[in-house]
Amino acid sequence: MQTLKIGTRGSPLALAQAHETRARLMQAHGLPEQAFEVVPISTSGDRIQDRPLSEAGGKGLFTKEIEEALLDGRIDIAVHSSKDMPTVLPDGLELITFLPREDARDAFIGKRVKRLADLPHGARVGSSSLRRQALIRRMRPDFEVVMFRGNVQTRLRKLDEGVAEGTILAYAGLKRLGLEHVVTDLMPLEDFPPAPGQGAIGIESRVGDRDIEKMLAAIHHVPTGQALACERAFLAALDGSCRTPIAGHATISGEKLSFAGLIISPDGTESHEVRLEGEAADAAEIGLDAARTVRARAGTKFFDGWA
Ligand SMILES: NCc1[nH]cc(CCC(=O)O)c1CC(=O)O
């Protein structure tokens, strides 16, 4: 039998996610480890460390080289953090397989205090995500947000060195790395809504590759797929103005879906929220509807300021 090649980035988180995917495929199909090979691929996003990704070219930076390998047949599937995936994929590729979502919340890591709200006036908080920066400023305009990139270990070192007094990261990523012990608090979904796709591992494949599609169908988690369809439709409908921080989170309960979305100015002073419920089967329409609603609430002037 040929080995199935699983492509992903070379970061510790990407490799952990590829290994989780392999374990689920082994379990679902009764296959040995040797039936799979994890292929690490370096992307432009991994190489650019000195500026925010939103300035360097955005999300596609983490996927381009991996998608080329998938289209060339050097790998058979690609494992991604769904959050890092652009809403429009290259022709011939699809993102239709999702593993059961991990906790989607953001986590706070404080050096001296446990909670973000307990930091003293004027404290420095590290983050390079536009969404987190804006949400931090909305909660506490007195804080100074400092640029913080790099992997978890680098960020923890920066806290030790006193560059900032706290930072915010996705809880899901920390859990997958076995680092949940560094977390001092979890941010509530209501005040600090996560990015669309946060916490969900997505598996990209070639359109029409029947054997692979069948193999992946066995590990696909339907409710996560529905939540992601809603969140990604919301994001896609608002993406035109890519400097606007966007949050969106859908939860599924039986046949029902609840969605909460938010757009916020980078300085945190103006934000617009939307909440919608409906049938899980209409996930994408709910996301699109939510985007229309929030766009109408915000007015066109909202997007003009920093687009
Ligand atoms: N942009 C980096 C990125 N992409 C996915 C995760 C975490 C895992 C996830 O959300 O599934 C992270 C790190 C972070 O935001 O802290």
Side-chain angles (χ1 to χ4, degrees):
M1 207 198 78
Q2 259 187 304
T3 58
L4 184 114
K5 295 198 177 64
I6 304 175
T8 197
R9 292 165 54 196
S11 71
L13 177 62
L15 293 172
Q17 295 181 160
H19 289 126
E20 179 177 338
T21 304
R22 178 176 66 184
R24 286 180 187 272
L25 285 169
M26 285 164 56
Q27 165 86 34
H29 300 285
L31 286 166
E33 199 171 299
Q34 306 83 268
F36 303 92
E37 185 188 342
V38 172
V39 182
I41 296 170
S42 161
T43 70
S44 335
D46 297 304
R47 292 187 289 263
I48 300 167
Q49 289 290 338
D50 57 339
R51 54 211 146 114
L53 292 177
S54 47
E55 276 170 25
K59 287 188 173 177
L61 291 174
F62 283 120
T63 52
K64 187 170 166 277
E65 288 85 354
I66 297 174
E67 288 175 330
E68 285 166 3
L70 190 53
L71 285 166
D72 288 354
R74 278 175 283 144
I75 56 173
D76 299 300
I77 61 173
V79 175
H80 303 280
S81 290
S82 303
K83 182 170 78 170
D84 298 332
M85 290 300 284
T87 51
V88 179
L89 303 183
D91 278 345
L93 298 182
E94 61 191 1
L95 183 68
I96 55 168
T97 310
F98 297 94
L99 300 187
R101 183 179 230 165
E102 190 30 282
D103 194 316
R105 285 176 291 177
D106 275 326
F108 178 69
I109 303 169
K111 192 177 169 189
R112 290 197 195 81
V113 302
K114 286 205 177 334
R115 293 163 6 109
L116 179 72
D118 294 339
L119 285 173
H121 187 89
R124 277 163 303 156
V125 183
S127 175
S128 55
S129 134
L130 289 177
R131 175 186 59 87
R132 292 180 184 134
Q133 290 178 353
L135 290 170
I136 292 165
R137 291 183 174 125
R138 179 172 77 153
M139 274 176 92
R140 286 287 298 268
D142 60 297
F143 287 168
E144 188 191 332
V145 181
V146 298
M147 232 314 253
F148 234 39
R149 277 204 58 204
N151 64 28
V152 181
Q153 281 75 10
T154 313
R155 295 190 199 208
L156 296 177
R157 203 187 60 234
K158 287 184 182 174
L159 289 188
D160 276 341
E161 289 167 354
V163 179
E165 286 154 71
T167 186
I168 294 176
L169 286 165
Y171 187 40
L174 294 167
K175 280 183 95 170
R176 291 193 185 114
L177 290 167
L179 290 170
E180 58 264 68
H181 60 275
V182 304
V183 172
T184 58
D185 194 26
L186 288 171
M187 305 305 293
L189 289 171
E190 300 72 44
D191 321 333
F192 219 89
Q198 185 156 306
I201 296 172
I203 304 167
E204 194 176 16
S205 53
R206 289 180 289 264
V207 175
D209 197 337
R210 289 294 165 76
D211 292 341
I212 300 271
E213 280 174 356
K214 233 165 67 195
M215 196 164 191
L216 291 178
I219 59 167
H220 175 61
H221 187 247
V222 172
T224 300
Q226 291 166 329
L228 268 283
C230 179
E231 293 166 18
R232 286 176 59 77
F234 180 70
L235 184 62
L238 294 169
D239 242 0
S241 38
C242 73
R243 293 278 303 165
T244 306
I246 297 171
H249 184 59
T251 50
I252 308 289
S253 172
E255 307 288 297
K256 299 287 173 199
L257 180 151
S258 308
F259 176 76
L262 170 131
I263 52 178
I264 180 167
S265 60
D267 67 2
T269 56
E270 187 179 346
S271 57
H272 300 277
E273 290 185 42
V274 57
R275 278 170 198 278
L276 279 184
E277 307 211 331
E279 299 294 321
D282 301 330
E285 289 92 291
I286 297 169
L288 185 60
D289 225 17
R292 286 199 195 102
T293 305
V294 83
R295 195 187 272 286
R297 266 179 209 162
T300 47
K301 243 179 61 230
F302 178 83
F303 295 95
D304 288 345
W306 49 83

